[in-house]
Amino acid sequence: MIAQFDRPLAGIITSPREPWYAEAAFHDDLAKLVTSNAPTAQKITGLARFLHLSGQSTQTDQWEALVEIAAIDVAVARMLEPHVDALGILAEAGHESPDAHSTWGVYAADVPEFAVAANDEGGQTLLTGEKAWCSLAAELTHAIVIVEGIDGSRACAVDLTNSRVQAQTVSWPSLGLKEIPSGSVMFDHAPATTVGPPNWYLDRPSFAWGGIRVAACWFGGAVGMARNAAHRHLRRPTPSPMGELQLGQLDAEISAVRAVMAQAAAAADGDDEFSRAEAWTLALRVRNIVYRSVQRVQHLSRELAGPAALTGDAGFAKADADLTVYLSQHHGLRDEAALGGDLYKRSHGDEL
């Protein structure tokens, strides 16, 4: 049994003097948890306990932890991220902390042909309909589901083990994030608890910090690939000039993202209050920077490591596949256009 990590988190975001290719001080015990054969639910709760992640954790601690987890296994970070998100949502809305053994997802995807409605009947909120892209629904105990009510969008906490909730069986042929099947869930008058007032989930400034939390997972996956490639290069008795060039390019790219993430963490955890519009503009900026940099780090890591890593190193090949799928969930050019649109409106004094 691995004991709880009892030191303040200090990693790639908060310790800029530490080389990015060196694992964090808690890496060995963390790696044992991340790479264990424990069931998904046990892995999620074990990591949250080990790293002291709760609904009150700072954004810095959350992002720092997810970077290091993703550097070991991107899919495990993808498992933990929505659990941490849900704990924060519940805490922010004033709900008591859920059972320590519960595991949570957040299902917010808006797909036109799928819809879930919330109706209040006899003093109880009931959900009816089908929600798409519900990751790990058959393995988690609870989820926060974004649904439509007569008063607007609602965030609802749902017990996924209730007999009126049915995770649909799904074929999941993906090679990347293969541990994260994401099918739909049917709700048949399933009881739920409303979290926050109508439209609160999207309107709160902290929604933006969740967007950066996902980017921290992308960054961690890229750091893991870069570490692998750098270690290979540093063990070579006669490194090539081209390898030195690629290592230098990796260092510059990763250092830039570290600085951006550190600045965003200081803002998110600082005393200054952000409006929802201000926070989301910052999140768009950070996500776009991280997205483009991670793509380049992924590419450089493959080149520096060489074909032997992709064909003979299961961990490196898995990280490459996982990261490719995870990055595909970014809105890409649309988010870059949205950032430009926000800046244009602000320059003209328009409300965002």
Side-chain angles (χ1 to χ4, degrees):
M1 186 69 179
I2 296 175
Q4 192 177 48
F5 183 70
D6 58 2
R7 286 168 286 171
L9 284 172
I12 196 164
I13 298 173
T14 53
S15 300
R17 296 180 68 178
E18 291 296 320
W20 51 264
Y21 44 85
E23 286 84 3
F26 52 86
H27 178 268
D28 288 343
D29 282 347
L30 181 65
K32 290 178 184 177
L33 280 172
V34 171
T35 60
S36 75
N37 293 321
T40 297
Q42 185 178 330
K43 190 171 288 192
I44 289 171
T45 55
L47 284 167
R49 183 170 59 252
F50 177 74
L51 294 168
H52 300 277
L53 296 178
S54 69
Q56 286 78 37
S57 297
T58 65
Q59 299 303 319
T60 301
D61 280 353
Q62 292 177 28
W63 303 349
E64 199 75 270
L66 289 167
V67 167
E68 290 300 337
I69 292 170
I72 302 168
D73 192 320
V74 179
V76 176
R78 175 64 182 80
M79 294 174 189
L80 182 62
E81 188 279 323
H83 175 78
V84 174
D85 188 21
L87 296 185
I89 293 168
L90 292 168
E92 190 176 355
H95 290 258
E96 292 185 4
S97 298
D99 184 276
H101 298 289
S102 63
T103 50
W104 290 74
V106 178
Y107 303 146
D110 185 14
V111 181
E113 57 268 33
F114 294 84
V116 179
N119 295 294
D120 297 319
E121 300 179 16
Q124 187 177 37
T125 299
L126 301 177
L127 305 187
T128 302
E130 185 174 7
K131 190 74 171 176
W133 294 103
C134 298
S135 300
L136 298 170
E139 300 180 61
L140 305 178
T141 63
H142 294 77
I144 292 177
V145 185
I146 309 306
V147 303
E148 288 302 318
I150 59 173
D151 48 2
S153 174
R154 289 195 199 181
C156 293
V158 186
D159 182 351
L160 296 175
T161 67
N162 188 284
S163 61
R164 293 187 172 276
V165 179
Q166 184 63 52
Q168 304 301 294
T169 56
V170 60
S171 174
W172 190 247
S174 176
L175 296 179
L177 297 181
K178 64 181 181 180
E179 304 97 322
I180 319 289
S182 300
S184 63
V185 173
M186 290 292 300
F187 299 93
D188 180 15
H189 295 84
T193 301
T194 299
V195 178
N199 302 312
W200 171 80
Y201 171 77
L202 290 174
D203 288 347
R204 61 202 169 91
S206 57
F207 177 77
W209 311 145
I212 300 177
R213 190 187 307 111
V214 171
C217 295
W218 301 338
F219 181 44
V223 168
M225 291 185 66
R227 280 178 180 164
N228 186 312
H231 292 169
R232 289 171 180 273
H233 176 75
L234 295 172
R235 290 196 300 265
R236 291 167 180 154
T238 54
S240 69
M242 187 59 67
E244 302 288 273
L245 170 64
Q246 290 160 345
L247 183 62
Q249 290 174 327
L250 280 171
D251 184 72
E253 204 72 52
I254 291 172
S255 296
V257 177
R258 292 176 84 168
V260 169
M261 293 290 293
Q263 184 183 54
D269 291 329
D271 294 330
D272 292 342
E273 291 189 9
F274 283 78
S275 68
R276 198 276 187 189
E278 291 170 333
W280 189 240
T281 296
L282 175 59
L284 284 173
R285 187 177 296 133
V286 172
R287 281 169 60 89
N288 289 331
I289 290 170
V290 174
Y291 174 71
R292 294 300 180 192
S293 289
V294 164
Q295 285 183 314
R296 186 155 192 260
V297 170
Q298 184 181 19
H299 174 72
L300 287 168
S301 298
R302 286 194 297 254
E303 290 198 336
L304 180 60
L310 282 172
T311 59
D313 186 331
F316 188 88
K318 180 182 186 303
D320 186 52
D322 285 346
L323 189 55
T324 297
V325 173
Y326 209 168
L327 286 173
S328 73
Q329 298 171 8
H330 181 54
H331 297 139
L333 294 176
R334 284 186 294 163
D335 272 3
E336 290 175 333
L339 175 59
D342 283 358
L343 299 176
Y344 179 86
K345 291 176 183 177
R346 182 167 285 121
S347 71
H348 286 71
D350 296 336
E351 291 294 330
L352 297 181

